[in-house]
């Protein structure tokens, strides 16, 4: 069976350590945890259409989307009007739903 193709949606500024932890687990042969991370590394652009294009392509390549729901997950982004959603995580979730991806949410705080 092939590894699930995972896109990890997270707040880059606040919660990236959780995404990195998933990738470390995947690399650790001491226990069975499999995922093939399809998330982009930091996108080297401030151009909203470019970022949307990269995220959309990566989400499309994935079979599942893990959403890390941290304290700031629903915070308003300064470019929300151009993004078309409250922030990038909201865009990623909407794109995943549009593409029919399986969503897995992990809430960090109660």
């Amino acid at each position: 069976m092939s590894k699930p193709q995972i896109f990890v949606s997270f707040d880059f500024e606040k919660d990236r350590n959780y995404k990195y932890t998933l990738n470390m687990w995947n690399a650790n042969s001491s226990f069975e945890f499999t995922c093939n991370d399809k998330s982009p590394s930091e996108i080297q652009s401030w151009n909203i259409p470019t970022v949307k294009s990269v995220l959309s392509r990566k989400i499309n390549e994935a079979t599942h989307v893990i959403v890390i729901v941290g304290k700031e997950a629903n915070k308003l982004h300064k470019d929300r009007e151009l993004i078309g959603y409250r922030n990038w995580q909201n865009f990623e979730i909407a794109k995943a739903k549009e593409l029919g991806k399986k969503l897995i949410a992990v809430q960090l705080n109660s």
Side-chain angles (χ1 to χ4, degrees):
M1 182 177 188
S2 63
K3 288 184 176 187
Q5 306 297 301
I6 305 295
F7 180 92
V8 182
S9 176
F10 61 100
D11 180 321
F12 185 80
E13 296 301 320
K14 306 285 186 207
D15 300 323
R16 65 179 159 225
N17 57 318
Y18 298 103
K19 183 224 194 250
Y20 299 152
T21 299
L22 292 172
N23 287 330
M24 287 185 293
W25 287 350
N26 188 52
N28 186 339
S29 62
S30 298
F31 59 95
E32 188 171 336
F33 176 86
T34 58
C35 79
N36 185 358
D37 183 8
K38 302 307 283 184
S39 310
S41 33
E42 187 174 357
I43 300 171
Q44 301 297 318
S45 175
W46 293 105
N47 181 279
I48 302 292
T50 299
V51 175
K52 281 183 166 183
S53 176
V54 171
L55 291 173
S56 296
R57 180 174 46 82
K58 290 300 206 171
I59 293 168
N60 192 47
E61 292 173 359
T63 56
H64 298 73
V65 174
I66 294 177
V67 181
I68 298 173
V69 184
K71 184 177 179 181
E72 307 278 333
N74 215 25
K75 186 175 181 181
L76 291 175
H77 190 282
K78 67 179 179 64
D79 293 324
R80 65 187 167 274
E81 298 293 325
L82 295 171
I83 295 168
Y85 294 89
R86 293 180 68 84
N87 57 38
W88 285 113
Q89 266 197 296
N90 281 245
F91 169 81
E92 293 165 352
I93 293 165
K95 181 57 71 175
K97 287 171 55 177
E98 174 189 319
L99 294 170
K101 302 302 175 179
K102 294 175 183 162
L103 291 164
I104 304 158
V106 179
Q107 185 173 348
L108 300 178
N109 300 316
S110 59

